[in-house]
Amino acid sequence: MVIALDGPAGAGKSTVARAVADALGFTYLDTGAMYRCVALAALTRGEAPDRVATSVRIELTDAVRLDGVDVSAAIRDPEVSAEASRIAVLPAVRAALVTRQRELIAAGGDWVAEGRDIGTVVWPEAELKVFLTASPEARARRRSAQTGAPYEQTLAEQIERDARDGSRAQSPLRAAADAICLDSTGLRLSEVVAAIARLARERMANRPALS
């Protein structure tokens, strides 16, 4: 089974996806980490992002590894985050990473894949699609608490990123037509995770029996 979890920046997708995967015994696919790896490699090596996207080796296991080196902390640097947001709109970068993401999922197994275009582009066949969102203010507060950046600055950057993600020519941020929209503004993490896990179990229970 594949659970596609999409939504805007600051909606808590990574935290929720990881917790849902743990609750169900699924594998968590952090597509955002892949873009951050490309951004980090481009910044540190001075190479073009489109070239990096097709040449680097990215491993998403117990840690995020870039060409064998653990970069779990390095990819969360604010400069890397900003660069990842910038390169994510580049068609060549998106095409390269979407291909990698599809290959991982197609290899089999149960996945919770999170990003901004999982249910619309990467894996439209997902059995459960959830579009996780929250009010801009709630998302900015969460991100500010996570990074330590001032709230007003975080809110302004987030509004800019929302506009960029929603208007890009390739894979714009939008909910799939058959996605379930879940607003987490007034919900605790445990409530969001329980809701998605319940939906997944219902879908699995309603699968046609094999003949």
Side-chain angles (χ1 to χ4, degrees):
M1 181 180 192
V2 177
I3 300 175
L5 182 60
D6 293 310
K13 298 186 301 297
S14 297
T15 302
V16 169
R18 187 177 288 106
V20 170
D22 287 344
L24 297 173
F26 285 18
T27 302
Y28 166 50
L29 176 55
D30 183 357
T31 62
M34 299 176 77
Y35 287 95
R36 289 171 180 269
C37 281
V38 172
L40 176 62
L43 286 170
T44 56
R45 301 174 188 179
E47 297 181 13
D50 54 349
R51 179 177 178 178
V52 170
T54 59
S55 62
V56 295
R57 178 164 52 91
I58 301 171
E59 299 171 80
L60 305 175
T61 53
D62 56 321
V64 180
R65 291 184 172 81
L66 176 62
D67 289 334
V69 178
D70 187 341
V71 294
S72 304
I75 61 171
R76 302 299 168 182
D77 182 88
E79 182 183 7
V80 175
S81 297
E83 180 67 4
S85 177
R86 188 188 70 79
I87 69 168
V89 303
L90 301 177
V93 172
R94 296 204 70 82
L97 294 187
V98 165
T99 296
R100 293 191 182 201
Q101 292 155 18
R102 286 174 175 164
E103 290 171 348
L104 285 170
I105 296 173
D110 297 313
W111 295 87
V112 180
E114 63 93 357
R116 289 173 176 75
D117 60 354
I118 306 300
T120 55
V121 175
V122 176
W123 206 256
E125 305 89 345
E127 292 176 70
L128 174 60
K129 301 175 188 176
V130 177
F131 191 82
L132 182 65
T133 188
S135 70
E137 294 77 15
R139 290 188 285 127
R141 282 195 298 271
R142 293 170 185 171
R143 183 57 62 88
S144 177
Q146 183 183 51
T147 64
Y151 166 76
E152 294 296 340
Q153 174 188 329
T154 303
L155 179 60
E157 291 173 349
Q158 182 175 271
I159 291 173
E160 179 183 353
R161 181 169 183 177
D162 286 348
R164 184 167 59 244
D165 286 346
S167 62
R168 66 191 181 208
Q170 187 173 7
S171 304
L173 172 65
R174 61 181 176 84
D178 54 347
I180 296 172
C181 291
L182 180 56
D183 189 325
S184 66
T185 301
L187 300 177
R188 296 188 297 271
L189 171 62
S190 59
E191 294 174 315
V192 176
V193 173
I196 297 175
R198 182 176 64 253
L199 289 168
R201 292 187 178 105
E202 289 173 356
R203 297 290 171 92
M204 288 188 287
N206 292 327
R207 282 174 167 173
L210 295 176
S211 57

